[in-house]
């Protein structure tokens, strides 16, 4: 094996696996709304392990046109999805979001998240909306 990735693991499980094999990436549920993997993100960031959030764009009321992300998206000249992804990218240097898409237009929209620059205040406001 050249590369090993783990999915839905705890920090303790990553540490145990690293005693046997080098871990390249970890994939856990993580987004603006669900931050249960916060300790894993911190660990991966500190250890230089890629972190792949699955379901990286939270859905539901969070992304509604009148939802909490909409104001920031409007101010940033971006979509709510782009803001969600931009927050993830700023959250950790090892963050590797891979949002699903069903069209080229949606893929292009998602890629635009890399150009969204959130202010410190916007980043902190998003950080505070976890459900």
């Amino acid at each position: 094996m050249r590369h090993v990735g783990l999915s839905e693991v705890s920090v303790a499980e990553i540490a145990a696996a690293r005693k046997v094999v080098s871990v390249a990436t970890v994939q856990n549920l993580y987004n603006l709304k669900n931050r249960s993997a916060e300790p894993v993100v911190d660990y991966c960031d500190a250890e230089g392990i890629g972190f792949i959030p699955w379901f990286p764009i939270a859905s539901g009321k969070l992304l509604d046109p009148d939802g909490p992300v909409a104001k920031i998206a409007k101010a940033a000249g971006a979509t709510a999805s782009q803001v969600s992804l931009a927050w993830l990218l700023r959250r950790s240097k090892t963050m590797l979001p891979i949002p699903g898409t069903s069209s080229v237009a949606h893929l292009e929209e998602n890629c635009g998240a890399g150009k969204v620059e959130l202010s410190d205040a916007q980043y902190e406001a998003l950080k505070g909306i976890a459900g």
Side-chain angles (χ1 to χ4, degrees):
M1 271 188 288
R2 177 175 266 177
H3 303 285
V4 171
L6 305 175
S7 183
E8 285 306 310
V9 292
S10 66
V11 171
E13 291 167 326
I14 300 167
R18 291 179 77 199
K19 291 179 180 177
V20 179
V21 66
S22 177
V23 174
T25 59
V26 171
Q27 176 179 283
N28 282 17
L29 173 63
Y30 187 76
N31 55 48
L32 277 172
K33 182 142 179 84
N34 186 327
R35 311 247 187 95
S36 59
E38 198 79 26
V40 174
V41 175
D42 291 338
Y43 180 83
C44 288
D45 196 43
E47 297 296 318
I49 298 170
F51 183 84
I52 303 168
W54 65 267
F55 196 53
I57 302 173
S59 61
K61 293 183 181 189
L62 189 66
L63 295 185
D64 282 351
D66 296 328
V69 180
K71 290 179 190 174
I72 292 172
K74 185 176 180 181
T79 67
S81 295
Q82 288 173 328
V83 166
S84 296
L85 293 169
W87 183 85
L88 288 170
L89 292 169
R90 181 167 170 181
R91 167 63 181 85
S92 168
K93 67 184 179 294
T94 63
M95 189 72 66
L96 305 163
I98 50 170
T101 184
S102 60
S103 69
V104 172
H106 192 225
L107 173 65
E108 290 171 346
E109 177 186 341
N110 288 341
C111 289
K115 295 179 182 175
V116 175
E117 293 187 34
L118 299 172
S119 69
D120 291 343
Q122 290 169 328
Y123 176 80
E124 290 300 323
L126 291 166
K127 187 176 177 181
I129 62 172

